[in-house]
Amino acid sequence: MVVLVVATTSDPASIGPAAAFLAMPGWSPGPPIAEGMESFTNGNVRLLKHERSIIAEDDLDQRWLEATGEPVSEVIFLSKHTAVSNRPALTVHPIGVPHLREDETPPQGGTPGWAAIPNPRIGPWLRLMQKIAAEQGLVPEFEITLEATHHGPVTSTPTMFVEIGSTEEYWGRQDAAQAIAVVLWKGLGLEDGNDVGSWQGNGEKVLLGIGGGHYAPRHMDIVIKDGVWVGHLLSGYSLPMDTPSQVNGKTSQEVAGMWKHSIKVSYEATKAAFPGGEVIAHLDHKSFKGWQKNAVTSYLQEENIRIGKPSDFF
């Protein structure tokens, strides 16, 4: 089993960290693959470079297996992050578009209604990234944060994105690229053989974030604590709900929309990522209207998904 790290030459926030990673010792040319791609190998890590948009290349894990005979245990994409705030940031997040209907076209890759298996390293690597960014003097200039589940490409193995944001000025920053490279180097165990964030299936609790904004601040408050594991993070836009009619101030019908499907597939993908773990939903209560919170909590109870308070994750 190999770890597949994916970069694209079309994105400075992708190829920059990849180049810094390849500058570290132990690399050799990788196996021959498709035209327009090249690969490198270091222990059980494979770095794949291609020329297209990072979200346009579906099924790279399966295509790697077909081309090389090596099964992929996880995929890590290197990419740029954009934000209206333009604030410099280093981010990490799971992927998928579980809230989209079949007749909708995903604006940034993926397939409607799908959630990738989240990489178990997301929580541990957020904390590792915070530590390395501080050591390298990027904090407080750069914000180190989670992002909610969003965009493609399609994968079938545990996946995460590691990104530099949020404008062209920062995408090419060498110090940010170096920090990401160190996260990869240490996090994948290439430094000393001890990787960070491997799931051992020991019955620990895993956070499934439901509600809130794109940067999941309420969920972040929990995930930044040592030992917390995190799966999918569904912000409000991933929980589309049709406003029901009200009678005497009470909801008079079932709340329609893709929100149930979004929760269900994200829960199932998170369970698949953490076999033997207990997936617990953490709600950003303040982000919901009363009828929304009632609908979500009722559905979670129907599905036997435990709802936890912050203290339940420690």
Side-chain angles (χ1 to χ4, degrees):
M1 301 286 276
V2 299
V3 178
L4 191 61
V5 180
V6 181
T8 174
T9 57
S10 66
D11 177 356
S14 181
I15 200 61
F21 192 31
L22 288 172
M24 295 173 170
W27 291 98
S28 59
I33 42 180
E35 184 178 350
M37 297 184 178
E38 59 180 328
S39 71
F40 306 85
T41 179
N42 194 339
N44 73 324
V45 179
R46 306 290 181 266
L47 193 146
L48 173 64
K49 291 200 298 187
H50 63 75
E51 301 170 347
R52 297 182 65 198
S53 163
I54 201 76
I55 58 173
E57 291 282 358
D58 287 341
D59 302 312
L60 281 171
D61 46 356
Q62 295 302 313
R63 290 157 60 192
W64 181 272
L65 172 61
E66 291 166 5
T68 68
E70 295 180 333
V72 175
S73 60
E74 60 185 283
V75 185
I76 300 164
F77 289 97
L78 307 177
S79 179
K80 66 185 176 185
H81 167 66
T82 57
V84 175
S85 69
N86 295 334
R87 180 172 180 182
L90 303 180
T91 78
V92 59
H93 69 84
I95 65 171
V97 283
H99 61 293
L100 295 184
R101 302 186 312 270
E102 286 187 8
D103 61 347
E104 294 182 283
T105 301
Q108 293 180 297
T111 190
W114 156 86
I117 302 171
N119 193 317
R121 298 188 195 274
I122 290 171
W125 276 29
L126 171 75
R127 299 186 291 270
L128 177 64
M129 189 183 294
Q130 288 178 320
K131 178 175 181 290
I132 289 169
E135 290 172 350
Q136 299 205 359
L138 292 175
V139 177
E141 181 186 11
F142 278 76
E143 181 179 16
I144 316 301
T145 185
L146 290 170
E147 292 182 77
T149 298
H150 66 302
H151 69 60
V154 172
T155 60
S156 53
T157 47
T159 300
M160 65 192 291
F161 262 64
V162 181
E163 302 183 351
I164 300 173
S166 298
T167 64
E168 190 170 355
E169 175 186 355
Y170 300 105
W171 297 333
R173 280 270 292 262
Q174 183 57 39
D175 52 355
Q178 183 64 28
I180 297 295
V182 174
V183 170
L184 293 165
W185 184 252
K186 292 177 179 288
L188 293 175
L190 292 178
E191 179 183 56
D192 56 10
N194 298 312
D195 70 331
V196 176
S198 289
W199 175 254
Q200 303 301 322
N202 53 7
E204 293 186 44
K205 297 164 184 175
V206 181
L207 182 148
L208 171 69
I210 299 179
H214 184 71
Y215 298 99
R218 297 283 193 302
H219 310 312
M220 270 280 292
D221 289 343
I222 298 172
V223 178
I224 58 173
K225 305 290 178 57
D226 283 344
V228 177
W229 301 90
V230 60
H232 276 290
L233 299 163
L234 300 177
S235 66
Y237 61 75
S238 292
L239 300 165
M241 294 178 162
D242 297 342
T243 304
S245 59
Q246 303 277 314
V247 176
N248 297 325
K250 295 184 179 180
T251 300
S252 62
Q253 64 191 60
E254 184 173 338
V255 178
M258 282 290 287
W259 63 278
K260 285 185 179 181
H261 177 86
S262 186
I263 291 173
K264 186 176 183 62
V265 298
S266 298
Y267 173 74
E268 290 171 350
T270 300
K271 277 192 70 175
F274 296 93
E278 182 186 9
V279 179
I280 302 175
H282 178 256
L283 274 60
D284 183 339
H285 291 281
K286 292 184 178 180
S287 70
F288 291 113
K289 296 177 180 177
W291 63 269
Q292 293 173 317
K293 185 164 71 172
N294 290 339
V296 169
T297 55
S298 294
Y299 178 68
L300 292 171
Q301 289 164 356
E302 289 171 16
E303 294 294 311
N304 295 313
I305 300 173
R306 179 181 168 192
I307 302 171
K309 301 187 290 286
S311 60
D312 292 323
F313 295 91
F314 308 120

